[in-house]
Amino acid sequence: MEIMMTSGINVAMQGTTKSEILREFADLAVANGKVTDAAGFYKDLCLREGESTTGFGGGIAIPHAKSAFVSEVGVLVGRGANLVEWEAMDGKPVQCWICLLVPETGGQEHLRLLSQLSRKLMDPEFVGKLKTGTENEILALVQGVIS
């Protein structure tokens, strides 16, 4: 399967809290066949958030977790109208997320994806398109980074 598909992009996230957003991602991951158990993956996302913030800054966060519930590597993207407190590095709320799904044994892939995306998030043009693009535009944008 593909690491990322348009069905893994939600430009209308409804959550108003970090917990609600992470739950939406867990459900989206199951719907896309990447995760076997939404509750288990949600718990792993929350545990990872407890270690240190995934709030990158500039309104973006990269929630991620290596998890036994992830059946294959995946990338999900979400965007919402709500400003969500995320304890981001710049202290500002978040409304755009890139969620990385990595099997428990996928340490190198996890680091590769995180590194590639983190570098690209320094590019204002990339960030602008991520925040305003359609599902198909976001898919092409992110696939160009992770492939």
Side-chain angles (χ1 to χ4, degrees), residues 6 17 19 39 54 119 121:
T6 52
T17 66
S19 179
T54 61
R119 277 196 304 270
L121 288 173

Side-chain angles (χ1 to χ4, degrees), residues 11 79 128-138:
V11 296
R79 186 173 70 216
K129 287 180 183 176
L130 195 61
K131 289 181 175 181
T132 62
T134 65
E135 286 94 339
N136 286 331
E137 289 169 336
I138 292 168

Side-chain angles (χ1 to χ4, degrees), residues 36 44 66-71 102-104:
T36 58
D44 288 341
K66 287 190 283 184
S67 173
F69 301 104
V70 175
S71 53
V102 181
E104 205 166 36

Side-chain angles (χ1 to χ4, degrees), residues 6-88:
T6 52
S7 60
I9 301 170
N10 179 355
V11 296
M13 299 285 278
Q14 298 298 305
T16 59
T17 66
K18 185 187 292 190
S19 179
E20 289 172 352
I21 294 294
L22 295 177
R23 195 169 303 282
E24 283 185 71
F25 274 122
D27 292 340
L28 187 60
V30 168
N32 277 271
K34 302 281 188 188
V35 168
T36 58
D37 180 67
F41 182 60
Y42 166 76
K43 181 180 176 187
D44 288 341
L45 284 171
C46 291
L47 287 171
R48 170 58 190 86
E49 285 294 330
E51 292 173 12
S52 66
T53 185
T54 61
F56 187 82
I60 296 177
I62 311 175
H64 57 279
K66 287 190 283 184
S67 173
F69 301 104
V70 175
S71 53
E72 65 180 77
V73 173
V75 176
L76 306 173
V77 175
R79 186 173 70 216
N82 298 318
L83 295 174
V84 179
E85 178 51 49
W86 209 271
E87 296 143 7

